[in-house]
Each structure stands twice: as structure tokens, then as C-alpha cells.
Amino acid sequence: MSRPSPTLSLMIDAARAAGRRLVRDFGEIENLQVSQKGPADFASTADLKAEEIIHSRLSKARPGYGFIMEERGLVEGTDKSHRFIIDPLDGTLNFLHGTPHFAVSIALERDGELRGGVVFDVMRNELFWAETDQGAWLENRRLRVAARRKLEEAIVSTGIPQLGTPGRERFLAELDIVTQCVGAVRRFGSAALDITWVAAGRFDCFWERGLKVWDVAAGLVILKEAGGLAIGLNKSDPRQGDLVVGNRSLAAKLVERLEGGGPPQGKR
Ligand code: 2AM
Ligand code: CA
């Protein structure tokens, strides 16, 4: 079994600390659902609190490192080569509605390369982590992407643009393509967990557009170390947020379908 490096151990501890706070706050959500004010403000406070816990731990232990955070944005460090990329609560809408499917996501970038990732599924208490060349792990179990090679047997996860965000028509066109060639489609609401679950072999592929670097960074390290592949759509960098992930064979096939506009002639 591989052991996390000192920096990765710090990231794991920070994710667990933020998770403890989120569990407490999640317990309050049900009461808030019926209150006048509603849970929206509460969720954004929970989000900010969790981010503060992570930022304060990591900046104390690694002074000088830079940060990109969902809530607070970019914090430049004096150390220009290291940067943490943080989403304190991925799956905010689930959290807000009392659905126990959300995660803390923390990645480490060195000289522009993603080197470490922690995704903590708070309510299932599943901690996924990976470091470059050290493999991907769920606690102490090694992760491996699924070996399936046929799109028609694949379970493919995705994200649907929310009301008020662009991309609905394109999403529907892509869903039309995908539902003609894969076994089944899922939509669970946390991109960080979607990517991590591909790494764990629970989903065969995932595709989504319009994500941000903090949604995907940690998951991408875990995916890569589990033998998976992330491909940016239209030749983009997958960190930019329009991406397909899967095992090497399925990711490439799905990109081909999405970019080629549909199944080949004569096939369903
Ligand atoms: P969040 O929960 O941190 O907001 C759901 O499809 C995924 O998309 C979640 O990971 C969610 O992250 C993210 N998401 C929701 N709204 C988004 C937006 N406007 N831009 C980018 N990502 C978004
Ligand atoms: Ca997010």
C-alpha cells in the first residue's frame, strides 16, 4: 500500500476537517427547509466556512503556496510553483436540498501540473486520494477504472445545465447522441464525485461542459492514477471544464461520438 506524502496528508486532514463541519451543517438543513428564510444563505455560509477551514490549515502548513478557491478565487503565493485548487463543497444544490451526495475537493498543482488530489465524499465517509506515480486509493484500496470496452454496456454520468446557465440546447443534442450509443445515463450532481467514481469503476464514463478547474482538478489526478483518461472536448485542456473521462478505450469512443455528431450510419 502506498502512503500519502506529507503535503497530501495535510490535504486529507483539511478535507476531513471541512467534512466534519459540512456534516454538522447538513444536519441543520432539514430544519431550514421549512424556515421563512430558506436554506440558500445557509448553504453559502457552509460553503464559505468549509473553505476557510481548508485555507487556514493549508496556508499555515505551507505558507507561500498559492490558492484557487471556488468562493474566494485566486490567492497568489510567494512560491510560484505550488498551488492548491479547492472546491469546499461540490454538489451544493444537493446539500441545499438535503440530498446526501456532495464532496470536498482539493488538488495540488506543481509547476502547472496536477500532482495530488483528494476527493472526500462526506456523507459516505469515503476518502479518495492520489498522487502522481503513486496510484489512486479509496482509503487503502487501490482504484482502477472499469475494463468495459463497449459503449453499449457503459454507464455514463453527466451534468445538466441548471436554469439560467447556458448550454441547454447543446446538452440536449449531446444527450440525444449519447442515449443512442451507451447502456445508461446518470446525473448525480457532483462533478468531483462523478470523475472519482469513474476512477473507481462505478461509472464507465462521464462527460460535462462548463465546469471550472476546482470541480475537476482533484478528480483528474485520481482518474489518471486509476488508469483513466480525460479528454478535453474540441481539443481543449480538460481542466478548462469541457471534458469526457473514462478508460482509454471508452473515453476516446465517446469523444468520437460527441464530436462526430452521432452514431455511424447503419448503427443504432
Ligand atoms: P457546485 O455544486 O460546486 O456548484 C453539477 O453538474 C456540477 O456542476 C457540480 O459539480 C456543480 O458544482 C457544478 N456547477 C454548478 N453550477 C455551475 C456553474 N454555473 N458553472 C460551473 N459549474 C457549475
Ligand atoms: Ca463545484
Side-chain angles (χ1 to χ4, degrees), residues 1 126 128-129 136-143 200 202:
M1 188 197 124
E126 286 190 331
F128 300 88
W129 64 276
W137 303 84
L138 166 51
E139 315 287 350
N140 55 10
R141 182 158 66 78
R142 184 114 195 220
L143 300 178
R202 295 174 182 177

Side-chain angles (χ1 to χ4, degrees), residues 11-264:
M11 292 156 64
I12 289 174
D13 291 346
R16 286 198 187 278
R20 283 193 291 277
R21 171 76 201 203
L22 290 171
V23 169
R24 272 217 316 274
D25 288 343
F26 187 71
E28 301 287 313
I29 286 280
E30 278 197 358
N31 305 333
L32 287 157
Q33 298 285 3
V34 293
S35 82
Q36 285 278 315
K37 204 169 159 208
D41 289 347
F42 188 77
S44 67
T45 311
D47 224 292
L48 279 166
K49 265 324 281 184
E51 192 173 280
E52 195 178 306
I53 289 166
I54 299 166
H55 178 248
S56 115
R57 281 178 172 245
L58 295 181
S59 59
K60 274 190 198 112
R62 292 290 180 272
Y65 282 25
F67 286 81
I68 303 179
M69 295 170 279
E70 183 178 16
E71 303 301 324
R72 249 162 290 195
L74 181 69
V75 178
E76 296 271 6
T78 49
D79 174 341
K80 298 296 174 201
S81 57
H82 293 90
R83 192 153 74 163
F84 292 113
I85 304 174
I86 298 165
D87 189 342
L89 173 52
D90 187 59
T92 313
L93 210 54
N94 284 340
F95 181 90
L96 188 62
H97 286 251
T99 294
H101 185 80
F102 50 85
V104 179
S105 172
I106 308 177
L108 174 68
E109 192 184 63
R110 197 176 80 197
D111 298 324
E113 238 183 81
L114 293 170
R115 308 281 302 183
V118 173
V119 172
F120 181 38
D121 180 336
V122 175
M123 299 308 287
R124 289 185 188 81
N125 193 25
E126 286 190 331
L127 193 130
F128 300 88
W129 64 276
E131 285 184 281
T132 301
D133 301 329
Q134 299 301 314
W137 303 84
L138 166 51
E139 315 287 350
N140 55 10
R141 182 158 66 78
R142 184 114 195 220
L143 300 178
R144 191 78 208 154
V145 289
R148 254 170 232 107
R149 304 229 164 258
K150 293 183 178 162
L151 272 182
E152 57 266 37
E153 291 172 2
I155 294 195
V156 177
S157 165
T158 188
I160 305 172
Q162 291 169 24
L163 190 63
T165 61
R168 177 183 164 277
E169 285 187 2
R170 179 152 67 177
F171 171 77
L172 291 176
E174 291 188 339
L175 186 65
D176 190 41
I177 293 167
V178 172
T179 47
Q180 290 181 69
C181 61
V182 310
V185 176
R186 297 285 182 270
R187 196 283 192 248
F188 285 7
S190 160
L193 283 177
D194 286 334
I195 297 170
T196 303
W197 282 18
V198 173
R202 295 174 182 177
F203 294 142
D204 298 296
C205 288
F206 164 72
W207 103 96
E208 188 164 349
R209 291 179 185 267
L211 294 169
K212 300 288 197 290
V213 66
W214 48 77
D215 300 315
V216 302
L220 289 179
V221 185
I222 296 168
L223 175 85
K224 190 172 175 196
E225 287 297 316
L229 179 66
I231 305 174
L233 286 159
N234 309 113
K235 307 209 183 317
S236 61
D237 182 331
R239 284 178 286 190
Q240 288 177 327
D242 293 349
L243 75 168
V244 171
V245 312
N247 66 30
R248 295 189 162 267
S249 154
L250 285 180
K253 283 181 186 158
L254 191 58
V255 168
E256 201 178 298
R257 294 298 174 91
L258 288 169
E259 292 184 344

